[in-house]
């Protein structure tokens, strides 16, 4: 069997993790401890069963259209073909030459391909889990979002706090435009610097939960040989 090169692009989830300032952190509690399970199962057999309470916007997560629009597909309504093995293009917005936080249409023009994934590398993941992550984060401009809709991509990911500018008021043009176009959004990615500009295959599939719009994913890329 040929070994595959896989890069994990997700932040681990743990109790107390702050993903987005102001949102509740996960709480993990035991439902059945290993010690207690010994009274339930045969001698020498034990299990741990735990309960996690968390908001869907935890760790590295995917936004479905239902997150923004009541009549959009929820997590259970997503086509796996738009989530698994997508040809990925990486847009590097992390270098010191950029003079603005917003990623413009010119940065993504001609990058996306129909049915593919565009991954926006900003380098902001270096601040994940720290107070610095909350302010000054790069984002995708409204014009950039529209350019990716016009390109027909299936998914857009970013390694930053949000696909939108959270410091520009309550409007969320990138979310609104992308999700209205049926394009999934994956936020809080990491390690995008380990991917080539093109050639990788990207996967980010959430559980099929009905009536739910956002949930953590195990996002990863399969690299070409």
């Amino acid at each position: 069997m040929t070994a595959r090169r896989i890069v994990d692009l997700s932040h681990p989830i743990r109790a107390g993790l702050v993903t987005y300032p102001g949102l509740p952190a996960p709480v993990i509690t035991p439902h059945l401890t290993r010690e207690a399970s010994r009274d339930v199962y045969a001698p020498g057999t034990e299990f741990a069963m735990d309960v996690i309470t968390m908001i869907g916007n935890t760790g590295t997560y995917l936004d479905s259209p239902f997150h923004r629009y009541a009549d959009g597909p929820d997590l259970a309504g997503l086509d796996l073909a738009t989530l698994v093995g997508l040809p990925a293009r990486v847009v590097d917005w992390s270098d010191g030459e950029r003079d603005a936080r917003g990623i413009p249409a010119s940065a993504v023009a001609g990058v996306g391909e129909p049915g593919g994934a565009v991954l926006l590398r900003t380098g902001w993941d270096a601040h994940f889990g720290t107070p610095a992550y909350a302010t000054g984060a790069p984002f995708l401009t409204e014009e950039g979002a529209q350019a990716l809709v016009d390109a027909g991509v299936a998914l857009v990911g970013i390694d930053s706090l949000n696909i939108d500018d959270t410091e520009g008021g309550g409007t969320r043009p990138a979310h609104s435009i992308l999700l209205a176009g049926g394009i999934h959004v994956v936020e809080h990615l990491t390690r995008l610097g380990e991917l080539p500009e093109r050639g990788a295959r990207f996967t980010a599939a959430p559980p099929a939960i009905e009536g739910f719009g956002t949930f953590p994913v195990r996002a990863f890329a399969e690299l070409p040989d």
Side-chain angles (χ1 to χ4, degrees), residues 103-126:
I103 302 172
S106 59
V108 297
V111 170
E113 63 178 90
V118 172
L119 308 178
L120 306 174
R121 180 195 175 202
T122 71
W124 208 249
D125 57 319

Side-chain angles (χ1 to χ4, degrees), residues 43-187:
T45 302
E46 60 184 48
F47 295 95
M49 299 182 188
D50 301 302
V51 176
I52 184 168
T53 302
M54 66 179 182
I55 192 168
N57 304 57
T58 297
T60 302
Y61 56 81
L62 179 142
D63 294 341
S64 71
F66 185 77
H67 175 54
R68 175 65 176 82
Y69 300 104
D71 59 350
D74 58 15
L75 296 174
L78 303 183
D79 183 353
L80 280 175
T82 65
L83 300 167
V84 176
L86 307 180
R89 288 289 300 273
V90 178
V91 174
D92 191 351
W93 194 250
S94 66
D95 62 55
E97 295 180 3
R98 63 177 172 84
D99 57 3
R101 292 168 51 221
I103 302 172
S106 59
V108 297
V111 170
E113 63 178 90
V118 172
L119 308 178
L120 306 174
R121 180 195 175 202
T122 71
W124 208 249
D125 57 319
H127 302 298
F128 186 80
T130 73
Y133 193 66
T135 58
F139 60 92
L140 180 65
T141 63
E142 180 176 355
E143 296 77 16
Q146 187 60 57
L148 292 174
V149 170
D150 294 342
V153 303
L155 182 150
V156 179
I158 192 168
D159 61 356
S160 186
L161 175 72
N162 202 286
I163 198 80
D164 271 299
D165 181 8
T166 61
E167 299 172 47
T171 61
R172 296 291 187 268
H175 274 95
S176 299
I177 291 170
L178 293 171
L179 296 176
I183 298 172
H184 317 313
V185 174
V186 177
E187 295 169 314

